[in-house]
Amino acid sequence: MNLTVRRLDRLSQVVEIYASRMPQDFDPDEIRPLFSLRKSWERKEYICYGLSGSARLVAYALFVHRGRHLLLDYLAVSETHRGEGLGSAFLKELSDRIPDAECVLVEAQDPNAAQEEGERSLRQRRSGFYLR
């Protein structure tokens, strides 16, 4: 699959991801209200990238940025492409595209705070992904 990373430069692109993709990729309590995202965009404190293949969005990364500090707000790979290494490749490409970032912060849920074994396992995999 031929993949292309591009910066999403229109709010409408981000709103489309918010409406069509994020409800599939995140629990409802993990998705911040659209007005909050919109406000960050309008203050020019939001940077968004998409990974596309065959004109379809395969992955996306949304960052809050303040100066040279970035917070990875959302990162998701299409369910049909998970486990193929696209998330890692996407993050590597992004690190090359935003070299002036002094640091990138990532939030991850504590595996030890999970109520169930399945959730603990998922949290461990996510943490391992970001650490790699």
Side-chain angles (χ1 to χ4, degrees), residues 5-19:
V5 174
R6 63 186 167 88
R7 186 163 174 177
L8 307 178
D9 57 2
R10 294 189 318 270
L11 179 59
S12 61
Q13 294 169 304
V14 179
V15 170
E16 174 63 27
I17 289 170
Y18 184 93

Side-chain angles (χ1 to χ4, degrees), residues 54-111:
S54 304
R56 278 193 71 231
L57 187 69
V58 175
Y60 57 91
L62 311 178
F63 297 91
V64 176
H65 80 93
R66 301 258 170 87
R68 295 181 52 203
H69 299 106
L70 298 169
L71 168 66
L72 180 59
D73 206 14
Y74 298 99
L75 170 71
V77 174
S78 296
E79 192 170 7
T80 56
H81 293 286
R82 291 180 189 156
E84 298 175 9
L86 294 179
S88 297
F90 187 33
L91 284 178
K92 170 66 174 109
E93 179 68 24
L94 290 175
S95 71
D96 293 343
R97 288 177 181 257
I98 47 177
D100 60 333
E102 188 173 296
C103 70
V104 177
L105 302 171
V106 177
E107 294 178 277
Q109 295 171 314
D110 182 359

Side-chain angles (χ1 to χ4, degrees), residues 15-36:
V15 170
E16 174 63 27
I17 289 170
Y18 184 93
S20 67
R21 295 290 301 275
M22 289 176 68
Q24 300 169 58
D25 297 328
F26 297 95
D27 289 330
D29 60 337
E30 294 178 317
I31 302 173
R32 66 183 178 133
L34 181 58
F35 78 85
S36 174

